[in-house]
Amino acid sequence: MSTPSPRPPPAGRAVGGLALAGAAALAWASLVEVRWYALREVTVPVLPAGQDTLRILHVSDLHLTPGQRRKVDWVRDLATLDPHLVVDTGDNWAHLDAMPALLHALEPLLAVPGAFVLGSNDYLGPGFKNPARYLLPDARREPPRPPVPLPWRELVSRLTSAGWIDLSNRRDAIDVDGRRLSLVGTDDAHMDRDEMPAAGGPDDARTAGLVDLHVGVTHAPYRRVLDAMHADGVDLTIAGHTHGGQLAVPGWGALTTNCDLDLRRAKGLHGWPGARPDRTDGAGSSWLHVSAGLGTSPYAPVRFACRPEATLLTLVPA
């Protein structure tokens, strides 16, 4: 008669269970959720009374590489939402050979009025980094590696030639659906390239007459940039960069924003510097939308409890 094999001790079973759960989570994050693109739709009560709704499509952080056909097709399909304005908050690509795929992805959206800023990964291609860097308060503390320059000037030329407005440390204005919007933007604060343009000059549309909305655009929502936007009187600031934390804890949320923005504003619609303006304690705040973006670094291709996204902002009267 054979002797039954001894059962593993409780501690061993627990370790084995944790290992299995971890493997399952990694498989989900790297094989499923990272490609499970989501369209977020939010309503922003920010327009003057009596105006019709205005639709702004916010795309960010594509981090596109060659061969990502499913992402390209998904982005192209966003044009069927019929937005009045497209805002692209940068980090469009992550490979020297990604220009053709990126332009193909954006082609239908370039037929719509648009504005953009660049992010760090529009200037420099990513290098290998420890994926756990996203858990650091500021990932720039990691020792630098030789950068791979990307043809960002050509990218800017392609986008502006199609009619989109470059807001990198600039002001401008745009007329969409019978409304005049004044715009202000900064270059990437993550690279310390941000410089808030002075207000009240000839490039400030508000000095030439009434505007319906004042919109700020930036890639990385560092507090200094958001404070400058708020001081400038923006009604709505639109930003990306955070990836929504990329790796989140269900029921808790993001563990990092990869900048000095607080965790609860890692993605979604909020107020700045206080509560949302439509709350009783939100007097004195302006609107802030942060996109979790559509991509990741090719060296950290995982998302957990934080689906890749684009957002349709429907602006309505306050």
Side-chain angles (χ1 to χ4, degrees):
M1 183 176 179
S2 61
T3 303
S5 300
R7 297 182 63 189
R13 293 198 299 270
V15 170
L18 287 174
L20 184 60
L26 178 60
W28 171 266
S30 60
L31 299 176
V32 179
E33 188 165 335
V34 74
R35 299 176 182 85
W36 191 17
Y37 308 116
L39 174 68
R40 309 295 186 193
E41 298 190 54
V42 299
T43 300
V44 190
V46 68
L47 293 177
Q51 289 205 2
D52 293 333
T53 59
L54 190 71
R55 296 183 301 279
I56 298 179
L57 177 65
H58 182 191
V59 294
S60 193
D61 297 88
L62 273 69
H63 292 279
L64 198 65
T65 60
Q68 293 183 325
R69 182 58 184 270
R70 187 167 183 270
K71 185 189 295 184
V72 168
D73 290 345
W74 194 90
V75 172
R76 287 179 62 87
D77 194 55
L78 292 172
T80 62
L81 298 171
D82 194 25
H84 296 110
L85 177 69
V86 178
V87 173
D88 180 338
T89 48
D91 273 7
N92 290 280
W93 51 8
H95 195 282
L96 273 171
D97 299 326
M99 179 79 80
L102 176 61
L103 294 177
H104 184 61
L106 295 178
E107 179 187 22
L109 298 178
L110 290 171
V112 179
F116 69 94
V117 293
L118 300 183
S120 59
N121 285 150
D122 292 310
Y123 294 106
L124 302 172
F128 176 77
K129 298 175 183 178
N130 179 357
R133 79 191 191 283
Y134 285 108
L135 303 181
L136 297 174
D138 189 338
R140 295 175 297 178
R141 295 177 184 176
E142 189 171 87
R145 290 172 172 79
V148 179
L150 295 177
W152 62 271
R153 290 182 179 85
E154 181 182 355
L155 174 61
V156 170
S157 177
R158 295 293 189 102
L159 297 182
T160 56
S161 295
W164 280 13
I165 297 171
D166 179 7
L167 289 175
S168 299
N169 296 334
R170 292 188 64 250
R171 294 180 183 273
D172 213 312
I174 192 169
D175 296 311
V176 290
D177 195 46
R179 267 70 64 87
R180 185 155 183 80
L181 277 58
S182 60
L183 306 172
V184 61
T186 71
D187 208 336
D188 184 25
H190 198 61
M191 298 180 74
D192 296 319
R193 295 176 64 105
D194 56 301
E195 183 177 342
M196 188 72 179
D203 59 345
D204 190 338
R206 297 170 297 177
T207 64
L210 182 67
V211 299
D212 297 284
L213 195 71
H214 186 37
V215 179
V217 180
T218 192
H219 174 66
Y222 279 82
R223 298 174 63 91
R224 67 178 184 270
V225 176
L226 300 182
D227 287 342
M229 294 284 186
H230 184 68
D232 197 65
V234 299
D235 300 300
L236 168 66
T237 299
I238 300 175
H241 174 71
T242 66
H243 294 192
Q246 192 166 321
L247 302 174
V249 177
W252 173 264
L255 298 175
T256 183
T257 60
N258 200 17
C259 62
D260 62 0
L261 185 66
D262 56 285
L263 295 178
R264 68 185 181 89
R265 292 185 174 98
K267 64 177 180 178
L269 185 65
H270 305 277
W272 184 267
R276 290 168 47 125
D278 58 353
R279 289 181 45 172
T280 55
D281 56 346
S285 288
S286 53
W287 288 101
L288 167 66
H289 183 261
V290 180
S291 174
L294 281 163
T296 69
S297 165
Y299 298 105
V302 293
R303 280 183 179 261
F304 189 79
C306 184
R307 289 174 63 184
E309 65 179 36
T311 306
L312 184 66
L313 302 166
T314 300
L315 279 49
V316 300

